[in-house]
Amino acid sequence: MTTRTALVTRLVAGAVTAVVIGGGVIAAAAAPWPTLTREPMSLDVVPEAARSVAACDGPLLALGRDATAASAITSAASSTVVAAADGAEPTEYTLAAPDRADDGAPPAAFSAEPTGGRPTDLGAASAASLDEADLRGLAVSACTRPAMESWLVGGSAATGASDLVLLTNPGDVAATVDLRVFGADGMQEPVAGQGIVVGARSQRAIPLAALRRGEQSPVVQVTAQGAPVRASLQSTLTRTLIAGGVDQIGASALPAPQQVIPAVNVTVAPDSGASAGGLSVRLMATAADAGASVTVRSVADGGVVSQQDDIALMAGRPVELEVTGMPVGDYTVTATADAPLVAAAWTSTDLAAPADFAWAVAASLVEAPTLVAVAPAPGPTLTLTAERETVATVTPVSGGTPRTVELAAGQSRTIEVEAGTIYRIDPGAGGIRGSIGFSGDGQLGTYPVAGSAAAAAELTVYP
């Protein structure tokens, strides 16, 4: 073979090889390649059970009773507390009250150790009443767990009101709290509401007027650092030197596009000739402007008695809606919007007689069995509102026959309960919202059913 022939042969062979390799690459690119998919490693765990804690509002307080000390806060009436736990026996302890000018009865808190690797379910509630020239009425409240964020919807800082923001820390670590107050002019961060130190096992009382004087429809956002606190509001009203009522108002459900107030008790018929207090609903969009609607339904038959649509809400500016023409009865109030909001409803007894009022706040959804304490106060009832179709069970923890409550989606029902008794509520397959209401001669009060500490969901952990 000549040199030229050998060179041609090598060129031809190289070209053929190149074609073969190129074709293989193209074919490989066109053919489906094997893939390897790996899901992230995860583990569902239940957090280590912690001690259950519930803090109470404590006694009714009076602001400025002493004419020589207009800013002095003193105890006006002691409260009666009932408590029970499902598991370990609860321990009661008292809290310091550094803002008080007297040594009246201190607020109480309860704790219970975990049992069987799970938090102990703890239920407690308190009631206080008085009938004096400057302060009268019934105040009831549930003793609840502290939280890092709370929303107080209710009360007033206008003339005639002497409201107090209560910050209760039942834990062993001090908390630092900031208060943001929303009103007709939007949000403010008052100097008196910033960096409030709430010591371990103590309660602070801050006059609402010191935060935003003159505001008729405030909403207060409470944010804690270092440790959670229980936030609440004591609201008192005086009309032309006549005591108009008192209430202890717990935190409302956290902002959401829908808020449900299970029961608002209207006690005076609009055509009775008496001076009825009426019903009003306070709303506020918390993050963005929103359009909202408010529906008021009769608990007795589910019928709509009031419907207000196309309510324009500006973020951070509370709106007060008057609902007129309400017959005597219990009503469920539902507020919906296209952005998160908070809500509460106000009603009162006959204002022409010894009067009282109550704020009913939106209730959180309860999806697991929980204990609820019925405060020792007159005429107690339990109202349940269903998220979905369900059969709820209500059982006294001290023993007794369970009661079943069948509910369709969106339906509410009211049953009588016994004052001073602790019940276990099993919401069944669907979630429920609930409230305990009280009504007597010139007395009115309510508080929502709170979820159990023992119902903490599993956490998914990604290494």
Side-chain angles (χ1 to χ4, degrees):
M1 181 183 294
T2 64
T3 302
R4 179 170 179 166
T5 302
L7 177 60
V8 171
T9 301
R10 287 196 296 270
L11 290 175
V12 172
V16 172
T17 302
V19 170
V20 171
I21 293 175
V25 171
I26 294 173
W33 282 66
T35 59
L36 177 61
T37 302
R38 184 175 182 179
E39 295 294 334
M41 295 179 61
S42 65
L43 181 65
D44 292 334
V45 299
V46 176
E48 182 178 352
R51 180 183 61 178
S52 298
V53 178
C56 306
D57 280 330
L60 287 174
L61 304 177
L63 176 62
R65 267 189 163 178
D66 185 350
T68 63
S71 61
I73 300 172
T74 55
S75 176
S78 60
S79 61
T80 302
V81 182
V82 294
D86 186 3
E89 188 69 20
T91 299
E92 181 178 0
Y93 56 98
T94 58
L95 307 175
D99 294 315
R100 288 209 224 149
D102 65 352
D103 56 357
F110 295 86
S111 67
E113 297 301 322
T115 54
R118 293 181 59 82
T120 294
D121 201 356
L122 180 61
S126 67
S129 63
L130 76 172
D131 190 355
E132 300 181 10
D134 63 334
L135 198 62
R136 76 158 316 278
L138 170 70
V140 292
S141 62
C143 306
T144 56
R145 301 190 305 276
M148 302 303 289
E149 179 185 8
S150 304
W151 290 81
L152 303 177
V153 186
S156 174
T159 301
S162 300
D163 292 9
L164 296 167
V165 176
L166 302 179
L167 305 173
T168 307
N169 178 7
D172 298 323
V173 178
T176 303
V177 177
D178 292 330
L179 304 178
R180 304 171 74 188
V181 186
F182 300 84
D185 297 326
M187 186 271 291
Q188 292 184 10
E189 296 180 333
V191 174
Q194 305 304 298
I196 302 170
V197 177
V198 186
R201 298 196 173 198
S202 69
Q203 181 187 79
R204 300 293 308 273
I206 313 298
L208 185 58
L211 303 172
R212 194 148 183 175
R213 182 178 298 276
E215 177 55 50
Q216 294 186 2
S217 302
V219 171
V220 182
Q221 181 187 14
V222 181
T223 305
Q225 296 182 0
V229 300
R230 181 186 186 275
S232 60
L233 183 70
Q234 179 184 298
S235 183
T236 59
L237 183 61
T238 302
R239 295 183 175 90
T240 60
L241 303 181
I242 298 176
V246 63
D247 197 16
Q248 291 173 330
I249 310 163
S252 182
L254 291 175
Q258 182 183 74
Q259 299 289 0
V260 178
I261 304 169
V264 183
N265 190 355
V266 174
T267 61
V268 182
D271 57 353
S272 65
S275 175
L279 168 66
S280 63
V281 180
R282 185 174 299 178
L283 308 171
M284 191 188 78
T286 57
D289 294 352
S293 64
V294 173
T295 304
V296 182
R297 294 180 180 272
S298 169
V299 172
D301 60 16
V304 175
V305 296
S306 176
Q307 177 77 43
Q308 299 189 43
D309 299 317
D310 301 322
I311 303 167
L313 299 180
M314 297 178 63
R317 297 176 187 265
V319 170
E320 200 97 2
L321 303 176
E322 297 295 330
V323 183
T324 59
M326 303 290 293
V328 171
D330 292 334
Y331 298 92
T332 297
V333 179
T334 303
T336 58
D338 47 21
L341 78 164
V342 291
W346 178 92
T347 189
S348 80
T349 63
D350 179 10
L351 302 184
D356 196 13
F357 65 87
W359 280 97
V361 302
S364 300
L365 185 65
V366 176
E367 297 183 280
T370 189
L371 292 189
V372 59
V374 180
T381 57
L382 166 65
T383 300
L384 301 178
T385 301
E387 180 79 0
R388 302 179 300 276
E389 181 178 352
T390 191
V391 178
T393 305
V394 181
T395 308
V397 297
S398 59
T401 304
R403 302 171 65 181
T404 57
V405 183
E406 297 183 6
L407 296 165
Q411 184 183 10
S412 299
R413 282 189 59 189
T414 295
I415 63 173
E416 293 184 357
V417 288
E418 185 176 346
T421 302
I422 316 295
Y423 293 86
R424 170 170 287 279
I425 300 176
D426 186 338
I432 58 97
R433 291 178 172 87
S435 64
I436 304 290
F438 303 84
S439 179
D441 186 16
Q443 294 185 321
L444 206 58
T446 184
Y447 53 82
V449 173
S452 167
E458 289 186 346
L459 297 178
T460 301
V461 178
Y462 295 94

